[in-house]
Amino acid sequence: MLTRDVLADPVALTRALVDIESVSGNEAEIADRVEEVLPEWLRTERFGNTIVARTELGRPQRVVLAGHLDTVPLHDNWPSTVEGNLMHGCGTADMKSGTAVALHLAVTLAEPRHDVTYVFYECEEVDSDRNGLKILADNRPELLTDASFAVLLEPTHGLVEAGCQGTLRVLVRTSGKRAHSARSWLGDNAIHKAAPVLRSLQRYRERIVTIDGCEFHEGLNAVRVSGGVAGNVIPDECVVEVNFRFAPDRSEADAQDHVREVFEGFDVEVVDSAPGALPGLDEPPAQEFLAAIGRPPRAKLGWTDVARFATLGIPGLNYGPGDPNLAHKQDEHVEIDKIVEGAAVVRRWLSK
């Protein structure tokens, strides 16, 4: 139960949320519990298992606090346990500790100095089409677009990680001609013809870009190679899957053009693409947030839903108690003092 005492303590609230099993697609119970405790001073709407709760105080600026409700599948790491300063369990770091911070403030801070839109959303850990924030942005963008800034409470170990990288996956194909391996000269080996693709990747020098004082390190890497027919057949096709993590000063189109240039002369098929997000740290709410935390920001090396806000014209950053290196691991855990610190930082930012 999310009692008043639990809601008043972000640590107890984290543990209570972790102990509600909510693997992606099974968020109904946790969404019910969140919805029923949201106070009357918030205008609340629910879309599936995504909940939007807004203050309507007429403040000059509005900000978003967003956290997802789902977790990856359990792996003998549920329910939660506590050992000293560590809370163990599925979702402790990614990202029920961050979501708990947002929910704690939603029910205890009635008059923040900015109007706040709280978003508790489903299906972040699975296919993009099921992502509750994407569905909300596609169908009810007006619930988000009146905000000037967003904080996504993804795990950052208590540091500001600004913006995010874009990501692109392509398939680079080579083709040949099948033949019996005993008479290989009658064929054309597609796997051998992929050697220049791999050499291009070996020679590639990643770009490092500094934006708003944050260093984004790009990367272009083969992540899968497939080819071959049988142990006695010269293969007629080979596919190298390549992932490009690009700095947010490139658009998706720029990133695709760059990859096609690297693999000029080869068949390149784009199979997945998502834009990055610029840090946007010159916005007044971002400057206030950095002042509240008192530590310099760093780039988000990875893709997060901050990019969805950027697509809507809303700059944002990532900030949460958990360690991102522990996300999805069996020994996932969060430091209790990081939860306390995170709640204090966000409260300090939003308080008059």
Side-chain angles (χ1 to χ4, degrees):
M1 290 290 292
L2 303 183
T3 64
R4 181 173 298 180
D5 288 345
V6 168
L7 292 165
D9 178 356
V11 176
L13 182 53
T14 297
R15 189 167 190 185
L17 293 179
V18 171
D19 288 344
I20 302 172
E21 185 270 304
S22 57
V23 173
S24 303
N26 191 37
E27 298 97 333
E29 181 183 357
I30 195 170
D32 289 346
R33 300 291 81 78
V34 169
E35 184 179 26
E36 69 188 14
V37 301
L38 291 170
E40 60 184 14
W41 65 71
L42 297 173
R43 182 164 65 84
T44 301
E45 296 184 66
R46 180 165 173 171
F47 309 90
N49 292 322
T50 294
I51 299 164
V52 180
R54 296 163 53 96
T55 64
E56 301 290 352
L57 300 170
R59 305 292 197 228
Q61 286 190 306
R62 176 177 293 277
V63 298
V64 177
L65 289 183
H68 63 80
L69 298 171
D70 62 320
T71 73
V72 295
L74 308 180
H75 188 43
D76 297 325
N77 57 355
W78 183 86
S80 64
T81 59
V82 172
E83 182 179 357
N85 186 46
L86 301 181
M87 184 186 303
H88 298 263
C90 185
T92 47
D94 185 18
M95 59 177 288
K96 288 187 175 179
S97 53
T99 300
V101 167
L103 182 57
H104 165 70
L105 291 167
V107 302
T108 61
L109 188 61
E111 295 196 2
R113 64 187 172 119
H114 301 305
D115 268 313
V116 183
T117 300
Y118 298 95
V119 183
F120 306 98
Y121 63 103
E122 63 184 324
C123 287
E124 189 272 346
E125 300 288 8
V126 288
D127 296 344
S128 176
D129 288 346
R130 297 170 60 190
N131 183 296
L133 186 60
K134 178 185 185 300
I135 293 169
L136 182 67
D138 287 347
N139 294 281
R140 293 292 304 277
E142 71 277 7
L143 293 176
L144 301 172
T145 53
D146 57 352
S148 59
F149 191 68
V151 176
L152 184 66
L153 289 149
E154 284 280 5
T156 65
H157 214 205
L159 298 172
V160 167
E161 294 188 338
C164 71
Q165 292 171 307
T167 183
L168 174 69
R169 282 191 303 115
V170 302
L171 303 180
V172 184
R173 286 192 172 85
T174 59
S175 58
K177 180 181 177 182
R178 290 193 192 188
H180 196 295
S181 60
R183 293 172 290 279
S184 58
W185 58 90
L186 298 178
D188 185 12
N189 195 311
I191 291 178
H192 293 180
K193 293 171 74 173
V197 174
L198 300 178
R199 282 197 295 270
S200 293
L201 290 167
Q202 283 184 311
R203 290 194 301 262
Y204 187 79
R205 293 296 175 261
E206 296 88 354
R207 193 174 64 124
I208 299 175
V209 185
T210 300
I211 306 171
D212 287 354
C214 299
E215 191 174 272
F216 289 89
H217 193 147
E218 294 188 329
L220 184 69
N221 291 280
V223 293
R224 183 180 292 113
V225 178
S226 58
V229 180
N232 59 353
V233 177
I234 300 301
D236 59 350
E237 183 179 74
C238 181
V239 179
V240 181
E241 183 175 345
V242 176
N243 181 216
F244 183 35
R245 296 296 176 127
F246 55 93
D249 63 336
R250 295 189 198 260
S251 68
E252 288 179 272
D254 291 339
Q256 292 181 24
D257 288 345
H258 176 67
V259 170
R260 292 186 189 281
E261 182 180 356
V262 172
F263 300 115
E264 186 177 1
F266 288 93
D267 177 12
V268 177
E269 177 188 359
V270 176
V271 292
D272 185 49
S273 180
L278 291 165
L281 296 179
D282 55 347
E283 293 291 327
Q287 291 294 313
E288 295 167 0
F289 194 92
L290 290 171
I293 193 172
R295 291 192 291 273
R298 64 187 182 188
K300 182 63 177 179
L301 300 181
W303 189 92
T304 75
D305 279 323
V306 162
R308 300 194 191 281
F309 290 110
T311 300
L312 295 173
I314 306 168
L317 55 79
N318 305 275
Y319 175 80
D323 182 344
N325 294 320
L326 298 172
H328 304 183
K329 296 183 70 174
Q330 185 175 16
D331 65 344
E332 182 179 0
H333 58 266
V334 65
E335 292 151 294
I336 288 171
D337 57 2
K338 289 290 187 183
I339 302 173
V340 174
E341 175 189 331
V345 164
V346 183
R347 181 178 292 276
R348 190 158 61 241
W349 175 52
L350 291 177
S351 295
K352 294 181 182 180

